[in-house]
Amino acid sequence: MSKLRHRNVSTEGSNAFTGIELKAAEDHAAGLTAVKVALGHVFKEMGVVRSLKTLSHMNQIDGFDCPGCAWPDPEKRSKLGEYCENGAKALSEEATNKEVDANFFKQHSVEDISKWTDYKIGKSGRITQPMILKPGSVYYEPISWKDAYQVVAEHLYKLQSPNEAIFYTSGRSSNEAAFLYGLFARAFGTNNMPDCSNMCHESSGVALSETLGIGKGSVKLEDFDKADVVIVIGQNPGTNHPRMLSALEKCKANGGYVVSINPLAEAGLVRFKNPQEVSGIIGNGHTLADHHLQVRINQDVALLKLIQKKLATLDAVDQMVFDHQFISQYTEGYEAVLSELNTYSEAALLDICGVDEKEVDAVVLLLAKSKNIIICWAMGLTQHKNGVDNIKECVNLLLLKGSLGKPGAGTCPVRGHSNVQGDRTVGIMHYVSKTFNEAVKTTFGFNPPEDMGYDVVKGIQAMYNKKAKVFMALGGNFVSAASDTEYTAKAIQNCELTVQISTKLNRSHCIVGKTALILPTLGRSDQDVINGKQRHFTVENSMGVVHQSKGFLHPISEDIKSEPDIIGGIADAYFKGNHPVNWTLLSSDYDLLREKMGQVVRGFENVNTKSKGRGYYLPNNVRDLDFSRLPNQKAKFTITELPIHDLKADEFLLMSIRSHDQFNTTIYGLNDRYRGVYNERRVLFMNEADMKRYDYKKFDVVNLKSNYKGQERSVFQFLVIPYNIPEGNLAAYYPETNPLIPIDEFAVKSNTPISKSVKVTVEKSITL
Ligand SMILES: Nc1nc2c(c(=O)[nH]1)N[C@H]1C(S)=C(S)[C@@H](COP(=O)(O)OP(=O)(O)OC[C@H]3O[C@@H](n4cnc5c(=O)[nH]c(N)nc54)[C@H](O)[C@@H]3O)O[C@H]1N2
Ligand SMILES: Nc1nc2c(c(=O)[nH]1)N[C@H]1C(S)=C(S)[C@@H](COP(=O)(O)OP(=O)(O)OC[C@H]3O[C@@H](n4cnc5c(=O)[nH]c(N)nc54)[C@H](O)[C@@H]3O)O[C@H]1N2
Ligand code: SF4
Ligand SMILES: [Mo]
């Protein structure tokens, strides 16, 4: 447990064990257990009547969008309920009856709270009133909204340059809130808008923009019904996007195949029982993944090159494997990629990726005869030093097969937070878009700044070096989510002011600047009423559908405000009427806000009307096979290199992953049911051969260390458990392992921390 300056707070909380139990890893996802577990969580937090009523509105047309992941809703919504176990958990977490109020903060100092586990902190409840932590104090005190806004305004005035302020966003915010927040940051004069996606799908955005001209995926939900093959690579949908399993199921029902590429044999991809079908409840479910390629951590480029090389050999015979018509009409760089593949031997690639050759060959044959291929991916590809290249190799494969811009084919980066894609679309970005800025100028009458802002990593470094002094967060849990926890904590503590606009309590409310504010906000499921009229907002899902979302629950407190109202309040206090934008009007009238958004953001014209009902698809050039935005008006094949890790003899590659009972830093519970781990998060998944080699027994207590550029970082007290994971690879949960990830180790071009390939050593813990 580490102690930090000016308040004696902990970055980690308690690392005491909670009573581990292991069972066989489940070989299927969903099924009746999922329904039971889901309802158990919801009833406990919300009560039975309130839960059932609320759940019946989730993901329904005219209801509210699930606060969980960004997976889209189907055209037809099931009356039985259109949500999964983890959606229900996300709702119960947000809509809990428990309150974090002034009394709570009187009883618990930030020092005390910080020593709790993330699980315990999160379970405290919903924050019900604005609070301030004054310099030197360890107890938050109540503050009025007006005074809170004034505190922010005064700190902003004191800055020597607008670039000393940082405006972070997490992907739960609505389009309206994110647009207004970005507008305020620009009006204030900075592009310092780091976003959770910098730690998430930024590598996808960079790779897809460079190769295909749009930083988003191209498939629609119905494409899964038409695909010959869906490849799921570096993603664990059974836990993180559970309703995606229904889409995979449909693909298979229509004769398609599913291929999983993952160091772990994740439950959802192996077998799946659909609780909405009787057969799913009483039967055994059915196999989802027809092939599982158990790749070594971060050796996907080797595997993808091997697959392409083998496909090229087959194509050389009859020119029937690749889509040569597509390649010549729409792409550039094909010959270069093919000759680069020739520089590798199949044996070498096979050896590097560690996959069984028979399995690779089976997949190659399948791909050779398939025309419509979808590739889905998530953090298993993006969070590596070569995250951008990982995705470029996926694009190469799709280009070879002409699997873009037609039904049943395309790119599918599966997004994390429910509106992370929308937040970026409406202007949360640290880089500068000339067209966006010009539209802001025309619509609002001020000049947005033109210098590049900080992303997450650069923002942390700026705070650490005291170049930034005010940190504001529209949602999220920055300290726990970012890499290099100790460094990040110190960076935050260097700030003069930190402001958290939050629904629930988390560690980032304890590890704060000299002055800290908590501004409580409405969640997805809450009714947003002003002057007796209910407002709704819009979100964009992972497939570019913009639709409306309308809360259902009466808010837990009268003293909570909507995100736009809070941003408007801050902007008003800062500008005091001396600005071309009427912030009070714009923030309170969402219809007006949307109208203005339509004048600035491409695809948002008439969003007020178009977003009603099922919503509408935003423009997507890949769907139209229009690559005119790219330098040579062609989609681009790219050449990538194999990643080099230079592991020392005793070093492992560690991936930090999510358990089944968490949403990022929010811990729903202590079980990882699908992997068979119960009542404990401090576990280290290790191959049995490695355990033998290093003489580890099940439940041995170990510490993990990373050593980059001579700097040692450690986390303590993890229980070794034998698991089906490639030799030399390890897995443990995020955020417990974040202190091991150096701040300056991130993906080339996207700056995404290397959360999935951290070099570590393991040592037995000496317990006294
Ligand atoms: N219930 C729940 N849902 C969530 C979240 C949550 O925490 N809980 N988080 C949301 C967010 S923000 C996001 S970004 C997504 C995250 O969704 P995922 O990316 O599915 O989440 P992770 O647990 O990080 O899992 C990464 C997967 O990649 C695999 N993997 C790791 N390294 C490699 C590699 O080198 N190669 C390959 N091929 N595979 C690898 C891991 O074994 C694991 O199966 O989920 C979203 N949905
Ligand atoms: N080691 C490691 N680190 C990682 C990852 C990893 O796989 N491994 N994954 C990365 C990824 S993919 C992501 S996206 C980031 C996540 O980073 P963040 O988005 O910063 O973290 P979350 O845990 O999602 O934030 C949860 C908090 O958001 C607040 N919140 C919830 N709903 C709302 C809302 O509607 N409005 C507002 N204003 N606040 C709300 C609550 O206070 C809650 O405690 O973490 C990254 N960090
Ligand atoms: S798949 Fe994602 S969006 Fe759909 S109900 Fe589950 S958590 Fe919510
Ligand atoms: Mo994410």
Side-chain angles (χ1 to χ4, degrees):
M1 218 181 284
S2 75
K3 291 175 181 174
L4 283 159
R5 278 178 297 181
H6 77 80
R7 285 184 188 100
N8 179 10
V9 284
S10 162
T11 48
E12 206 189 344
S14 163
N15 60 7
F17 296 123
T18 40
I20 190 166
E21 219 190 303
L22 293 187
K23 296 183 188 167
E26 284 191 23
D27 58 356
H28 60 264
L32 197 56
T33 322
V35 179
K36 269 203 243 159
V37 171
L39 292 181
H41 270 270
V42 193
F43 292 164
K44 197 167 145 205
E45 297 287 338
M46 299 172 63
V48 177
V49 178
R50 192 158 163 264
S51 318
L52 291 177
K53 263 194 187 162
T54 315
L55 279 169
S56 69
H57 287 256
M58 191 152 92
N59 289 335
Q60 300 292 344
I61 290 164
D62 222 33
F64 64 93
D65 185 51
C66 169
C69 76
W71 190 254
D73 302 310
E75 279 284 300
K76 268 202 205 146
R77 314 285 156 99
S78 165
K79 290 272 175 290
L80 272 174
E82 196 50 69
Y83 54 88
C84 70
E85 173 190 349
N86 278 331
K89 287 186 198 162
L91 169 69
S92 65
E93 192 71 23
E94 175 173 296
T96 176
N97 285 321
K98 289 186 218 126
E99 295 185 23
V100 169
D101 53 12
N103 200 29
F104 173 94
F105 286 113
K106 221 179 192 173
Q107 285 174 29
H108 307 291
S109 71
V110 284
E111 294 180 340
D112 292 342
I113 299 169
S114 76
K115 283 160 192 126
W116 301 351
T117 58
D118 290 313
Y119 177 49
K120 184 169 171 187
I121 297 177
K123 288 290 170 209
S124 307
R126 272 293 283 274
I127 307 160
T128 57
Q129 62 191 98
M131 304 293 298
I132 184 165
L133 187 66
K134 293 182 181 155
S137 174
V138 291
Y139 286 93
Y140 273 100
E141 300 158 39
I143 183 171
S144 71
W145 281 101
K146 193 164 163 262
D147 290 349
Y149 297 151
Q150 200 47 41
V151 169
V152 182
E154 275 161 18
H155 276 89
L156 291 178
Y157 288 140
K158 276 193 226 155
L159 298 179
Q160 301 209 321
S161 139
N163 290 330
E164 287 182 355
I166 292 180
F167 299 90
Y168 173 70
T169 314
S170 165
R172 278 262 174 101
S173 297
S174 62
N175 290 331
E176 288 74 1
F179 177 73
L180 194 70
Y181 190 59
L183 194 69
F184 173 63
R186 292 180 174 92
F188 175 68
T190 185
N191 284 313
N192 288 343
M193 282 178 266
D195 180 54
C196 70
S197 52
N198 301 149
M199 302 180 259
C200 185
H201 265 296
E202 192 75 40
S203 304
S204 309
V206 171
L208 293 172
S209 301
E210 255 184 54
T211 54
L212 300 174
I214 183 170
K216 303 179 185 184
S218 71
V219 301
K220 296 181 174 178
L221 191 51
E222 61 258 33
D223 285 319
F224 283 77
D225 307 357
K226 297 165 196 142
D228 298 325
V229 181
V230 178
I231 300 176
V232 183
I233 176 169
Q235 191 206 346
N236 178 20
T239 284
N240 297 314
H241 310 91
R243 283 192 307 160
M244 177 174 158
L245 301 187
S246 308
L248 296 177
E249 201 187 23
K250 263 198 173 166
C251 161
K252 288 181 64 88
N254 292 344
Y257 292 84
V258 174
V259 175
S260 142
I261 302 180
N262 198 311
L264 305 181
E266 302 283 28
L269 291 172
V270 185
R271 263 165 67 212
F272 167 55
K273 294 181 191 175
N274 190 337
Q276 285 167 8
E277 283 174 9
V278 178
S279 68
I281 293 174
I282 53 176
N284 279 329
H286 25 245
T287 307
L288 267 189
D290 300 276
H291 302 278
H292 173 60
L293 306 185
Q294 191 164 21
V295 68
R296 289 197 182 108
I297 291 178
N298 198 211
Q299 295 306 350
D300 301 85
V301 166
L303 175 60
L304 290 165
K305 280 188 193 291
L306 177 63
I307 291 173
Q308 291 171 60
K309 193 172 165 67
K310 283 178 180 271
L311 285 172
T313 308
L314 294 177
D315 186 68
V317 178
D318 57 7
Q319 303 272 298
M320 296 293 280
V321 172
F322 294 157
D323 187 339
H324 292 281
Q325 163 69 30
F326 178 94
I327 292 168
S328 66
Q329 191 175 349
Y330 295 110
T331 73
E332 62 169 345
Y334 167 70
E335 289 80 11
V337 159
L338 271 215
S339 57
E340 200 257 354
L341 284 175
N342 280 333
T343 62
Y344 300 98
S345 81
E346 286 189 13
L349 293 172
L350 196 64
D351 188 50
I352 294 168
C353 69
V355 183
D356 185 270
E357 185 161 26
K358 275 200 213 105
E359 280 293 335
V360 180
D361 286 339
V363 171
V364 167
L365 283 182
L366 176 65
L367 294 175
K369 65 179 189 211
S370 302
K371 300 227 175 304
N372 303 324
I373 299 162
I374 292 176
I375 305 186
C376 304
W377 71 88
M379 300 304 100
L381 289 197
T382 61
Q383 296 175 331
H384 299 281
K385 189 145 215 154
N386 72 336
V388 173
D389 279 357
N390 278 336
I391 291 136
K392 285 183 173 173
E393 280 300 346
C394 294
V395 172
N396 280 348
L397 178 57
L398 292 173
L399 291 176
L400 287 172
K401 295 293 299 176
S403 265
L404 286 166
K406 62 179 176 180
T411 49
C412 185
V414 187
R415 301 281 163 178
H417 278 292
S418 55
N419 197 41
V420 63
Q421 190 159 311
D423 289 353
R424 292 301 287 259
T425 306
V426 301
I428 299 298
M429 52 198 175
H430 55 280
Y431 45 87
V432 184
S433 156
K434 268 202 174 141
T435 37
F436 191 94
N437 277 4
E438 270 159 29
V440 167
K441 191 178 168 189
T442 321
T443 310
F444 294 104
F446 71 89
N447 282 319
E450 282 173 4
D451 42 345
M452 175 109 162
Y454 299 133
D455 59 12
V456 166
V457 165
K458 300 293 167 199
I460 296 169
Q461 289 170 332
M463 289 185 277
Y464 190 89
N465 296 317
K466 302 194 178 168
K467 286 189 182 144
K469 295 175 180 155
V470 171
F471 174 82
M472 197 183 299
L474 185 62
N477 181 1
F478 194 79
V479 171
S480 296
S483 51
D484 219 340
T485 316
E486 291 289 300
Y487 182 96
T488 299
K490 283 187 190 130
I492 287 285
Q493 290 201 319
N494 278 345
C495 288
E496 292 300 319
L497 174 73
T498 51
V499 185
Q500 301 282 335
I501 303 172
S502 316
T503 51
K504 305 249 342 222
L505 195 65
N506 62 47
R507 197 166 298 281
S508 297
H509 300 111
C510 303
I511 294 166
V512 291
K514 293 193 182 99
T515 302
L517 286 167
I518 303 178
L519 305 179
T521 192
L522 298 173
R524 270 303 152 72
S525 51
D526 294 319
Q527 285 180 5
D528 182 353
V529 179
I530 196 160
N531 303 327
K533 205 177 146 221
Q534 184 171 0
R535 299 178 288 187
H536 71 267
F537 51 80
T538 60
V539 289
E540 175 187 343
N541 67 32
S542 200
M543 290 174 191
V545 175
V546 177
H547 64 92
Q548 70 170 46
S549 174
K550 199 192 235 171
F552 171 75
L553 287 167
H554 191 72
I556 192 163
S557 150
E558 296 294 317
D559 217 8
I560 304 183
K561 287 190 189 297
S562 79
E563 292 176 337
D565 284 340
I566 297 171
I567 299 158
I570 291 170
D572 242 358
Y574 179 77
F575 286 113
K576 299 196 190 318
N578 298 318
H579 193 261
V581 177
N582 181 338
W583 295 95
T584 316
L585 182 67
L586 193 65
S587 57
S588 58
D589 183 345
Y590 296 179
D591 282 340
L592 175 69
L593 187 49
R594 277 186 284 272
E595 200 184 302
K596 296 284 178 195
M597 198 154 64
Q599 289 166 28
V600 175
V601 184
R602 203 171 141 257
F604 274 70
E605 308 81 10
N606 301 319
V607 64
N608 267 315
T609 349
K610 289 192 297 187
S611 60
K612 297 219 166 96
R614 289 184 175 77
Y616 69 99
Y617 278 98
L618 285 173
N620 186 307
N621 63 295
V622 178
R623 285 179 191 149
D624 306 332
L625 288 176
D626 167 12
F627 300 109
S628 55
R629 280 204 245 165
L630 285 158
N632 297 319
Q633 288 83 48
K634 299 264 188 193
K636 247 169 93 173
F637 277 99
T638 32
I639 291 176
T640 69
E641 285 170 17
L642 296 174
I644 299 167
H645 289 288
D646 282 334
L647 290 175
K648 297 200 185 81
D650 60 345
E651 275 182 331
F652 291 82
L653 268 193
L654 168 83
M655 56 178 171
S656 55
I657 54 173
R658 290 154 171 82
S659 84
H660 191 63
D661 262 2
Q662 72 183 87
F663 192 94
N664 299 340
T665 67
T666 300
I667 312 301
Y668 299 141
L670 301 176
N671 301 337
D672 194 0
R673 205 174 74 239
Y674 293 165
R675 299 196 185 105
V677 182
Y678 288 78
N679 207 32
E680 187 59 78
R681 287 184 55 82
R682 305 196 70 84
V683 294
L684 182 67
F685 297 92
M686 193 186 259
N687 182 292
E688 274 188 292
D690 286 330
M691 286 176 65
K692 232 182 192 164
R693 189 148 56 102
Y694 290 96
D695 193 24
Y696 289 123
K697 307 266 170 319
K698 184 165 93 175
F699 297 160
D700 271 358
V701 182
V702 297
N703 302 330
L704 297 169
K705 275 193 174 26
S706 69
N707 188 329
Y708 283 82
K709 298 180 192 139
Q711 202 180 335
E712 210 166 76
R713 293 172 176 82
S714 314
V715 291
F716 302 95
Q717 303 265 100
F718 286 76
L719 297 169
V720 174
I721 54 172
Y723 203 75
N724 178 8
I725 182 171
E727 278 180 58
N729 289 175
L730 297 170
Y733 300 129
Y734 135 70
E736 284 82 348
T737 43
N738 287 41
L740 294 169
I741 309 167
I743 190 72
D744 50 3
E745 290 291 328
F746 43 74
V748 180
K749 286 193 179 172
S750 70
N751 290 5
T752 298
I754 53 153
S755 307
K756 294 288 188 277
S757 44
V758 192
K759 286 194 275 187
V760 295
T761 51
V762 184
E763 59 175 37
K764 274 202 180 129
S765 165
I766 302 157
T767 28
L768 299 172

